[in-house]
Amino acid sequence: MIYWVIVALWLAVLCAVARAAARGKSGVYGTTWLLLAVLAIDVVRNIAENFYFGLLWGSRYGVFPEAVETALARPELLILPKILNVLAAILVLVILLWRWLPLAATERSEALRTMSAQSAQIRREAEEQRLLFETSVDLILVIDRAGIVRRVSKSSAAILGYLPEEMVGREGSIFAVPEQRASLKAALSTLAAGQRAPEVVADMRHKDGHLLTLSFLGVWAPGLDSGLVIGRDITERMAAALRLDRLAYFDQLSGLPNRVSLLRDLSAALDGADASPLALAVFDLDGFKDINDFLGHSTGDRVIGEIGARLMRLASDGCRFYRSGGDEFFMLFKGGPSPDAGVAQAEEVVRILEERIEVDGYRLFVSVSCGLARAPDHGHRSEDLILNADLALNAAKAGGARKLGVFAPAIRTEARARQEIESELRRAVAQQEFELHFQPQIRLADDAIVGAEALLRWRHPERGLLAPAAFIDALSRSPAAAEAGQFVLTSACEAAAAWREKGLGALRIGVNLFPIQFHSRTLLDDVESALARSGLDARQLELEITENIALGHGDEVLDVLKALHKRGIGLAFDDFGTGYASLSYLLRYPLTRLKIDRSFVQKIADAAAPEHAAIVQSILVMAHNIGLEVVAEGVETERQMAFLRAHRCEEAQGYFFARPLPRADFDAFASARLARPTRGLG
């Protein structure tokens, strides 16, 4: 029975060998196949031998028939298993000698070559790592859990000034500035715990003492119980970033933060948790343009630099200054709840800015205007607060230089009204809503009409006919004034030419000029165009200028007026007596006539105000002495006219004679005036 057990076991082994061979068709090579072949031969031999003896002994003990024993017990068959053993041994020996030994030698040779190649690769990689460690431009540190430096790349000498041997054995964080050592240690602890450590930027102290900035990244090697930390010098990159930051957020002339910084800081302050009131003041240097124009922009730049230096000295944790551009500066500071909160602080800044400035050998003084707005009373958003501070500044400047204004809702209402009337004025010019009325000018010697002053009216589509008081100031400041001035000039010349053609005589026409007509430098061309278009004699045109035009343009006005005078056009000085520099202009400008302001004329017959009569009399005497004729404005009574006639005033205009009249009504008035007998000259 034992033989059959052995046969079964060897059959199991044969099946296992067959399955191994089947599984290894695509992945089993060389000596493995030889081993399987030898094993298969031996298995087959053992199965055959044990099968034979199992039949033989089984028939002997009655398991099989006796005929089986008789058939198998022959001598030649008994020797067969031994022959099979010998044949099997010979076959295995042949396989070993013919196939296995050469194949084993080949595989050993290939294995040796592979090991040699792998060893060379390992040595090459190790050499590359060594070269990388030794020649890296970055700082490479091997650090243990305690933060002690165990190995350092040679780049330490170039980056930190320390040789590797000077750093080995020392704690790595000691080379950082003291206030940043804790963050380096915390990053190392995170790294040693097997977690990903974020990039750490730290200021390191060079051996010679100067500071440089390094960026550190690291990995931990658990098997070696050490970490590899790479530090990159980013000093130049950080410096470049700082330069870009200064370009983006700082003004280059004054050194102060710019408008971008103001918007950022103001928004942060308004959105912050601190609910304390804020105040924003805007400062404007009055007349700074004159410094640039007359002393040069380089001097102006140095003035801005000095202003910036003064403001930087005034800055504190609760008070910051900014330059918005040009000659405009801002102060952001904590205000108080009262309406006057911050006024005293702003006034102190104004006082310091107005102190003498010495640059380029000049001793200069600048006057400063200021506008102040508070949050939350005057706005919850940065844009609103800046706008309201600017509105307060504009209101302050409108009241004269060196003024400080605090925002009030009425200021915004007035600004909105100015914006609306500006829009309406542009529409009025485009849609020809303006028209002229004419006020007669009477010669007092004989009551004859000698001319008229063209006065602008606005036929508003909703408000009806508007007198100049309702819009002339806004129009004077508007760009629409240039086109309106051309309309007045052309229409007035056409009206005067038409009067002459109707037989009303060569009446003189007086035309008021806007300052912008001098600024645009087209006045000479506009006058020539109006005269040519209307056919009016130049001697019938009289242009009226006011002192604000003369003060605003200086020599520019003088050159134009001389050219007009040479052309034969009359020049009248309007509203004489209301300014402070009129006497100098009487001698400087080529004038032909003075117009006494109505504020003096209306009280010349008032016994309670004898000074007005004295002033008018003095003006008349002075004008006659320098060869100028005089027109008195605003004559409303017989007594006023009598006074003027008695003191040899040449002409007058006012309600006593006629109000400003539409063109058709003026034609009728002039015709009637010419038809009546003139007063004698005696």
Side-chain angles (χ1 to χ4, degrees):
M1 189 65 186
I2 190 62
Y3 289 108
W4 297 108
V5 173
I6 294 172
V7 168
L9 291 175
W10 280 114
L11 283 173
V13 171
L14 182 62
C15 291
V17 170
R19 290 181 63 189
R23 284 199 304 267
K25 284 183 179 180
S26 61
V28 179
Y29 303 98
T31 56
T32 303
W33 274 109
L34 291 175
L35 177 62
L36 290 175
V38 170
L39 184 60
I41 293 171
D42 193 53
V43 168
V44 171
R45 181 192 63 78
N46 274 286
I47 291 174
E49 182 178 355
N50 285 281
F51 184 76
Y52 172 81
F53 284 108
L55 291 175
L56 179 64
W57 290 104
S59 62
R60 182 170 296 180
Y61 290 103
V63 178
F64 300 111
E66 292 181 1
V68 174
E69 180 183 8
T70 302
L72 296 177
R74 291 179 298 172
E76 62 274 15
L77 291 179
L78 289 173
I79 200 64
L80 184 61
K82 302 301 180 183
I83 295 172
L84 289 175
N85 281 336
V86 172
L87 292 175
I90 293 172
L91 183 59
V92 169
L93 182 62
V94 170
I95 291 173
L96 290 177
L97 294 176
W98 177 57
R99 292 290 298 168
W100 183 83
L101 287 178
L103 189 59
T106 301
E107 289 187 349
R108 179 177 182 279
S109 176
E110 291 178 354
L112 290 175
R113 285 197 301 271
T114 301
M115 291 178 61
S116 176
Q118 290 177 345
S119 177
Q121 177 68 17
I122 293 172
R123 288 195 301 273
R124 183 165 58 251
E125 290 179 355
E127 180 64 17
E128 289 174 353
Q129 292 175 1
R130 186 190 67 79
L131 289 174
L132 180 64
F133 190 87
E134 297 297 332
T135 63
S136 173
V137 295
D138 296 329
L139 178 65
I140 303 177
L141 305 171
V142 178
I143 299 180
D144 63 16
R145 290 186 180 274
I148 304 300
V149 178
R150 296 306 179 190
R151 189 179 176 190
V152 187
S153 62
K154 290 183 178 180
S155 57
S156 63
I159 296 176
L160 292 176
Y162 294 94
L163 295 174
E165 54 269 24
E166 294 179 290
M167 298 184 66
V168 171
R170 303 174 68 180
E171 187 177 351
S173 62
I174 200 172
F175 299 99
V177 294
E179 56 269 21
Q180 293 182 352
R181 292 173 185 172
S183 62
L184 287 175
K185 290 181 178 180
L188 181 62
S189 300
T190 301
L191 196 66
Q195 301 176 13
R196 181 181 179 87
E199 179 183 13
V200 178
V201 176
D203 291 329
M204 310 296 286
R205 182 73 66 181
H206 193 275
K207 188 175 182 180
D208 64 11
H210 77 268
L211 290 177
L212 60 157
T213 305
L214 268 69
S215 169
F216 291 99
L217 284 173
V219 293
W220 192 261
L224 299 177
D225 202 25
S226 62
L228 184 67
V229 178
I230 299 176
R232 175 162 295 176
D233 186 357
I234 59 171
T235 306
E236 287 299 324
R237 191 178 79 187
M238 294 293 289
L242 287 175
R243 289 194 293 271
L244 290 175
D245 185 75
R246 286 202 64 83
L247 288 173
Y249 295 103
F250 286 83
D251 173 63
Q252 302 306 303
L253 285 180
S254 64
L256 295 171
N258 59 15
R259 189 178 183 87
V260 176
S261 296
L262 170 64
L263 291 172
R264 180 191 61 187
D265 295 349
L266 184 54
S267 296
L270 292 173
D271 296 338
D274 187 1
S276 60
L278 292 173
L280 182 69
V282 55
F283 303 93
D284 184 79
L285 309 183
D286 301 315
F288 179 74
K289 183 176 182 297
D290 292 337
I291 296 177
N292 280 332
D293 290 344
F294 297 112
L295 301 181
H297 286 274
S298 60
T299 299
D301 290 347
R302 291 183 179 88
V303 171
I304 292 295
E306 173 60 24
I307 293 293
R310 292 182 183 183
L311 294 179
M312 280 191 282
R313 289 194 292 269
L314 294 174
S316 63
D317 291 339
C319 178
R320 286 167 289 180
F321 292 91
Y322 308 81
R323 184 188 178 211
S324 178
D327 56 358
E328 191 174 72
F329 299 83
F330 281 89
M331 175 175 68
L332 176 62
F333 60 106
K334 291 185 177 180
S338 68
D340 295 331
V343 171
Q345 191 169 352
E347 288 178 340
E348 176 64 14
V349 174
V350 170
R351 184 191 67 79
I352 293 174
L353 294 183
E354 290 186 337
E355 293 177 354
R356 185 178 65 192
I357 298 175
E358 296 188 9
V359 293
D360 296 341
Y362 299 105
R363 293 184 175 184
L364 304 174
F365 293 89
V366 295
S367 59
V368 179
S369 297
C370 176
L372 184 67
R374 299 188 310 276
D377 296 343
H378 301 153
H380 297 275
R381 300 188 310 159
S382 56
E383 295 84 357
D384 294 337
L385 206 61
I386 292 174
L387 175 60
N388 291 337
D390 278 329
L391 289 175
L393 172 66
N394 294 335
K397 291 173 73 69
R402 304 185 66 180
K403 298 288 185 178
L404 187 147
V406 179
F407 176 78
I411 296 177
R412 181 183 286 273
T413 302
E414 293 172 2
R416 186 177 294 111
R418 287 194 300 270
Q419 185 178 18
E420 290 175 355
I421 195 172
E422 167 67 20
S423 178
E424 289 189 334
L425 287 171
R426 290 177 180 269
R427 186 207 63 218
V429 171
Q431 298 184 7
Q432 299 181 348
E433 295 175 3
F434 290 120
E435 60 184 60
L436 290 184
H437 285 201
F438 303 90
Q439 186 169 41
Q441 294 174 330
I442 307 299
R443 187 166 56 214
L444 295 179
D446 57 3
D447 288 337
I449 182 170
V450 293
E453 180 180 0
L455 299 170
L456 192 62
R457 296 293 185 268
W458 181 6
R459 193 163 294 279
H460 195 281
E462 298 174 358
R463 299 165 60 190
L465 188 65
L466 301 180
F471 66 88
I472 201 68
D473 287 341
L475 180 59
S476 297
R477 295 189 297 268
S478 169
E483 194 170 347
Q486 291 177 349
F487 163 77
V488 172
L489 186 60
T490 301
S491 299
C493 289
E494 289 176 348
W499 295 333
R500 185 184 60 194
E501 292 178 359
K502 291 180 179 181
L504 298 179
L507 298 181
R508 183 181 69 244
I509 185 69
V511 176
N512 293 279
L513 297 177
F514 292 107
I516 196 173
Q517 290 177 275
F518 285 94
H519 182 69
S520 63
R521 299 181 181 180
T522 62
L523 181 59
L524 288 174
D525 293 337
D526 292 343
V527 169
E528 290 294 343
S529 176
L531 292 175
R533 181 174 177 179
S534 63
L536 184 68
D537 190 328
R539 291 171 294 181
Q540 289 181 250
L541 177 61
E542 183 173 81
L543 301 178
E544 299 183 7
I545 64 171
T546 56
E547 190 172 356
N548 67 323
I549 292 178
L551 285 173
H553 299 83
D555 291 339
E556 182 182 355
V557 171
L558 180 59
D559 294 339
V560 174
L561 294 182
K562 286 180 178 180
L564 292 170
H565 181 72
K566 186 177 181 180
R567 181 72 170 78
I569 297 168
L571 300 173
F573 207 144
D574 197 13
D575 299 333
F576 183 77
T578 58
Y580 60 87
S582 299
L583 294 178
S584 64
Y585 294 124
L586 293 182
L587 300 176
R588 188 180 184 193
Y589 289 169
L591 303 173
T592 56
R593 198 179 314 276
L594 286 185
K595 301 189 73 174
I596 303 177
D597 188 71
R598 67 179 63 247
S599 62
F600 298 106
V601 173
Q602 288 176 348
K603 295 184 179 181
I604 56 176
D606 187 351
E611 64 275 7
H612 286 78
I615 290 174
V616 171
Q617 186 176 358
S618 299
I619 292 174
L620 289 168
V621 172
M622 178 188 61
H624 294 154
N625 287 339
I626 60 177
L628 298 179
E629 294 184 353
V630 179
V631 178
E633 296 180 298
V635 177
E636 297 181 355
T637 67
E638 177 75 30
R639 293 181 63 185
Q640 293 170 356
M641 186 187 68
F643 178 92
L644 293 168
R645 181 180 289 144
H647 290 84
R648 296 191 304 125
C649 179
E650 286 81 5
E651 298 174 11
Q653 66 184 80
Y655 285 4
F656 180 75
F657 306 104
R659 292 175 177 270
L661 302 169
R663 181 167 169 176
D665 293 346
F666 180 86
D667 291 355
F669 176 86
S671 297
R673 198 80 180 183
L674 287 173
R676 60 184 282 188
T678 58
R679 181 178 179 275
L681 298 177

